[in-house]
Every structure is written in structure tokens, then in C-alpha cells.
Amino acid sequence: MIKRKDIEMELKYYEKYLGITTRELEKLKDKVPSNVRLRAVRHNNGYQYFLRTDRTDKNGIYIKKENIRQAQLLSQVEYYDNLRIVLEDRIKKMKRLEKVWVDNPFTYTEEKMSLGKRKFIKSPVVSDQTYIDNWLTQEYKSLGFKEDYPEFYARNNLRVRSKSEVIIADMLDEVGIPFLYEKPVKLGSGVVHPDFTLLDIGNRKEIYWEHFGMMDDVEYRNNAFFKIRNYESNGLFQHDSLIYTFETNVFPLNIKEIRKMIKMLKMKLGYCNI
């Protein structure tokens, strides 16, 4: 969706080059005769050039090769002159557009109505923020915890299963990426519970993040790879719908790199302008 700031930036861009074009045009006009037009005629494998000082003169005065610089200057003057006209027209139209432009016509129209009427309105387009709010408030049944399971809490009082998941949850919350914890996902005839389900608001799709934190353990490792293969056999792949992170006792979670990755995710998932 085009936003007002995009129009303002483009307007500044055209105004900048209108200024450059105008200044260069004034410099070149002093170097060529006034009221003279250039005529280019195809000749063999090249062109011949003629000066026309009178519109009734169909041919003009032939420009010799040693004077070809004159043809170059006249061509550049003509280009700058035409470009100036086009840029001025574009700027004029964009300024008119800027005055009447609204970033979101759906929200704009809705806000013009009274609150009493607005509550009955169903917009054909759901705003990003409304979509996020609805997504976050959905109800689902998570895995839950056994009574003797260690307690780890992220800063939003969300209970998770490990210290590493606390770090991931806090970083996601810190940069403003919404997520759901252990939301069930149906894969074929079974159900899995990804550690984190993220919302790609740009494409309005879910991204699943699995953190495998006990890769030293053979049974755990085999189950992790079985889970990965299960995702893949159901059309969910790394770098598209899935994120995998791993750690062992020797190679714990790299907090510095995870932070970098999450900052990149913020841009990729569409949260830089929200």
C-alpha cells in the first residue's frame, strides 16, 4: 500500500532533479544559438544533422563533422527542456495527490463514521494491527507441564521449558514480534506443538520455530530429526515456514547471533513499520 511518506519522498526526488535539470539547461543555452532546432536524418549507417532556424525550412543547414559538438549540445538542450516540462508536470500532479491522499482508505472511511455506526461495520480489509490482535487472542490447547517440571518464565510471565526458550521469548517480545507458545499444528494425521509460532504479517502466514536444546542426548536427537522430517514431508521447510536452532553442552545457545537473527526476522516478517 502506498503511504503519504512514499509520495513525499518521491516528490523530493523529482524536485531535486528538476533543480539540477534547470541549472544545467541554463548553462547549455548560453552555448547554442537561440531559436534553433536540430534535425537528425538517417544516412547510411549513421545520421546527418541540420540546423533549422525557420519552421518553414524543411531541410536546414548541414552540420559538418568537425562541428558535431553543436549537434551534441542541441540534443542535450532539447532533452533537458523536455525533461523539465515532464518533471514539472509530475511534481504538479503529485502535489495535488499529496493533498488528498490518505494512507489507508478503509480506516479513513471507518473513522469518518460515528462510533455508534462503526460497531456494525465489517471492513473488506482487516488492518495489520487488528489482524495481529485477533491472532494473539486465539484460543488453543498447549501441551501444559507436569507437576515436577522445572519452572522457567519469560518476562511476560509466559512459562516455557528451558532457559534458552526464556531468552528467545524475551528477545521476540523485545523487538515486537508476536508469537504463540506451543500452539498445536496439524501435520497429516498427527499434531505437533512447535516451540514458537510467529506471525509473518507481511504475508499473513505462520512461521514455526523449533529450538532443539538437548542434542547431546541420542534419543532426543533422533526425535528432533524425526520431527524435522515430519515437517518436511508435510511441505514445511527451513527458510520458508520453519526456523531451527540447536545447542549442546559444548555449544550452548549463541545469544549474540540469535539477537542478530531476530532483528533480521523483524524486517522479514513485516514489523519495521508497525
Side-chain angles (χ1 to χ4, degrees):
M1 183 180 292
I2 299 174
K3 296 187 179 295
R4 180 182 289 271
K5 66 177 183 180
D6 297 327
I7 297 175
E8 292 171 351
M9 287 179 63
E10 192 166 347
L11 190 54
K12 289 179 181 178
Y13 175 83
Y14 288 129
E15 286 175 335
K16 172 186 174 181
Y17 283 98
L18 174 61
I20 292 172
T21 301
T22 302
R23 288 192 296 273
E24 292 300 316
L25 178 60
E26 292 305 315
K27 290 178 186 177
L28 291 183
K29 275 187 173 180
D30 294 335
K31 298 179 181 180
V32 296
S34 59
N35 301 320
V36 172
R37 301 289 291 177
L38 183 70
R39 175 172 173 253
V41 179
R42 186 76 178 175
H43 180 72
N44 295 329
N45 293 325
Y47 286 90
Q48 288 183 337
Y49 298 94
F50 300 85
L51 290 178
R52 296 176 62 190
T53 57
D54 190 336
R55 290 186 178 182
T56 60
D57 182 4
K58 294 183 179 180
N59 295 318
I61 303 169
Y62 175 67
I63 300 177
K64 297 179 180 180
K65 288 184 178 181
E66 56 266 29
N67 296 323
I68 198 65
R69 175 63 177 161
Q70 194 172 26
Q72 293 172 346
L73 289 173
L74 284 167
S75 296
Q76 190 66 48
V77 166
E78 184 177 341
Y79 168 75
Y80 278 147
D81 208 19
N82 290 335
L83 179 60
R84 178 182 55 80
I85 294 169
V86 172
L87 287 174
E88 286 176 345
D89 181 65
R90 175 63 62 90
I91 290 168
K92 184 179 179 181
K93 289 176 179 176
M94 289 191 71
K95 283 185 175 179
R96 286 203 301 265
L97 181 64
E98 185 185 27
K99 288 180 181 179
V100 299
W101 188 263
V102 291
D103 286 344
N104 191 321
F106 307 100
T107 303
Y108 176 81
T109 305
E110 187 175 325
E111 290 177 349
K112 286 292 183 181
M113 301 181 70
S114 68
L115 290 174
K117 295 177 182 178
R118 203 183 302 173
K119 68 179 184 178
F120 298 120
I121 299 302
K122 184 177 180 180
S123 174
V125 174
V126 178
S127 70
D128 285 345
Q129 191 57 57
T130 299
Y131 192 93
I132 293 167
D133 293 341
N134 292 340
W135 185 82
L136 283 171
T137 55
Q138 63 182 284
E139 294 183 1
Y140 63 90
K141 188 175 181 180
S142 61
L143 284 173
F145 297 88
K146 295 180 181 179
E147 288 186 10
D148 59 345
Y149 201 89
E151 295 188 18
F152 301 97
Y153 289 91
R155 68 181 186 181
N156 57 2
N157 207 35
L158 171 71
R159 187 178 179 184
V160 296
R161 298 188 184 277
S162 68
K163 290 180 181 178
S164 292
E165 289 188 352
V166 169
I167 292 170
I168 294 170
D170 284 349
M171 286 185 180
L172 290 170
D173 188 52
E174 180 184 325
V175 302
I177 298 176
F179 67 90
L180 300 173
Y181 186 70
E182 293 188 340
K183 176 192 170 186
V185 177
K186 188 172 182 180
L187 294 182
S189 58
V191 174
V192 296
H193 292 76
D195 296 323
F196 300 94
T197 299
L198 315 181
L199 176 61
D200 178 347
I201 192 60
N203 297 300
R204 297 198 174 180
K205 61 177 283 190
E206 292 182 342
I207 305 293
Y208 308 113
W209 185 334
E210 291 282 12
H211 178 67
F212 299 109
M214 299 169 57
M215 295 300 282
D216 295 294
D217 185 277
V218 175
E219 184 178 356
Y220 179 94
R221 185 166 64 245
N222 288 336
N223 287 335
F225 285 116
F226 175 80
K227 198 171 189 180
I228 291 172
R229 294 292 170 82
N230 191 22
Y231 279 122
E232 292 173 347
S233 64
N234 284 276
L236 300 174
F237 299 99
Q238 177 88 305
H239 304 303
D240 176 39
S241 302
L242 285 167
I243 299 168
Y244 300 131
T245 47
F246 306 88
E247 66 176 307
T248 66
N249 288 329
V250 177
F251 296 100
L253 189 71
N254 189 324
I255 298 176
K256 182 180 179 181
E257 297 306 319
I258 290 295
R259 188 179 298 278
K260 284 182 183 179
M261 186 184 79
I262 288 176
K263 286 182 178 179
M264 291 175 66
L265 268 177
K266 180 179 180 180
M267 182 179 297
K268 182 179 178 181
L269 301 184
Y271 291 99
C272 287
N273 297 319
I274 294 178

